[in-house]
């Protein structure tokens, strides 16, 4: 509460702590392997060379690189690209697809949670749920939202999200973590 009163921001936790959190999700190994197999040379060159403009598909490029960075432990770089993608999204909202919007809010929520901006993370995950149609991704988002709610001291709300996560993906082992 003292940090909130003073307006002090949390930094990202240690890379080890972030990795341990990500490892609790069943898709971690698959996503890590995909990230490690991705050659980012061309995409990183695009990101460096391209000014943020009116191309909503560039958000997808940024989020793809965010995923690779996240699963190859380049967390600060991932967070910076999430911020860039969000700034671009803010200027292009009407032309960004629902799928991209849901993915962006999921990434925003993750980094807000990691930075202990719990109220913002809850809003971001709920924004993701507003546009996400894939049941497995909705379930995963609800599990992450439940983690935010637990960290916020609201286990009853977290339990509701976990129940809904299981309804959306009855095979989700993440709910039990």
């Amino acid at each position: 509460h003292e940090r909130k009163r003073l307006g002090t921001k949390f930094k990202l936790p240690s890379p080890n702590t972030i990795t341990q959190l990500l490892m609790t999700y069943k898709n971690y190994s698959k996503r890590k392997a995909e990230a490690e197999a991705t050659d980012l040379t061309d995409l990183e060159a695009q990101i460096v060379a391209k000014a943020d403009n009116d191309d909503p598909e560039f958000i997808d490029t940024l989020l793809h690189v965010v995923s690779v960075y996240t699963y190859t432990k380049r967390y600060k770089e991932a967070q910076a690209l999430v911020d860039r993608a969000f700034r671009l999204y803010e200027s292009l909202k009407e032309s960004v697809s629902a799928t991209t919007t849901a993915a962006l809010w999921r990434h925003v929520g993750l980094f807000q949670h990691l930075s202990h901006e719990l109220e913002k993370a809850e809003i971001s995950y709920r924004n993701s749920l507003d546009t996400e149609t894939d049941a497995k991704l909705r379930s995963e988002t609800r599990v992450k939202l439940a983690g935010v709610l637990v960290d916020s001291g609201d286990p009853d709300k977290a339990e509701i999200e976990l129940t809904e996560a299981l309804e959306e993906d009855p095979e989700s082992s993440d709910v039990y973590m």
Side-chain angles (χ1 to χ4, degrees):
H1 295 294
E2 185 68 9
R3 281 184 191 255
K4 191 173 184 177
R5 186 181 71 75
L6 295 173
T8 306
K9 288 197 168 246
F10 281 83
K11 293 182 180 172
L12 287 178
S14 73
N16 186 53
T17 299
I18 297 171
T19 301
Q20 292 298 314
L21 171 68
L22 293 174
M23 288 174 71
T24 65
Y25 296 103
K26 70 178 179 180
N27 288 325
Y28 175 78
S29 295
K30 177 183 167 209
R31 290 177 179 164
K32 182 177 187 283
E34 289 170 356
E36 289 172 342
T38 301
D39 179 1
L40 289 178
T41 307
D42 291 339
L43 292 176
E44 288 176 324
Q46 278 182 41
I47 288 170
V48 169
K50 190 167 188 164
D52 295 341
N53 55 25
D54 60 357
D55 180 5
E57 292 180 16
F58 188 54
I59 295 172
D60 291 316
T61 301
L62 292 170
L63 294 180
H64 179 68
V65 176
V66 165
S67 291
V68 173
Y69 283 178
T70 299
Y71 288 92
T72 56
K73 302 181 183 182
R74 295 169 67 179
Y75 303 118
K76 288 182 181 176
E77 291 166 279
Q79 184 179 36
L81 285 185
V82 166
D83 292 344
R84 182 174 172 185
F86 187 75
R87 285 191 307 273
L88 184 56
Y89 168 80
E90 286 285 282
S91 66
L92 301 173
K93 281 181 189 174
E94 294 75 31
S95 54
V96 178
S97 73
T99 302
T100 299
T101 298
L104 174 64
W105 281 115
R106 248 191 323 281
H107 285 293
V108 169
L110 173 65
F111 283 96
Q112 288 169 331
H113 188 188
L114 291 171
S115 300
H116 212 73
E117 297 177 81
L118 301 178
E119 292 171 12
K120 289 180 180 179
E122 179 180 354
I123 291 166
S124 294
Y125 284 138
R126 291 193 188 286
N127 286 343
S128 178
L129 290 167
D130 286 346
T131 55
E132 183 58 68
T133 58
D134 180 279
K136 290 187 185 309
L137 290 173
R138 287 180 62 79
S139 178
E140 180 180 319
T141 302
R142 287 191 187 284
V143 170
K144 290 177 179 180
L145 173 55
V148 170
L149 294 168
V150 167
D151 289 350
S152 297
D154 200 338
D156 294 334
K157 273 187 174 176
E159 187 67 31
I160 292 167
E161 293 302 329
L162 293 174
T163 299
E164 289 186 29
L166 266 182
E167 288 173 8
E168 290 182 308
D169 182 10
E171 298 175 15
S172 174
S173 58
D174 291 339
V175 170
Y176 302 104
M177 297 304 282

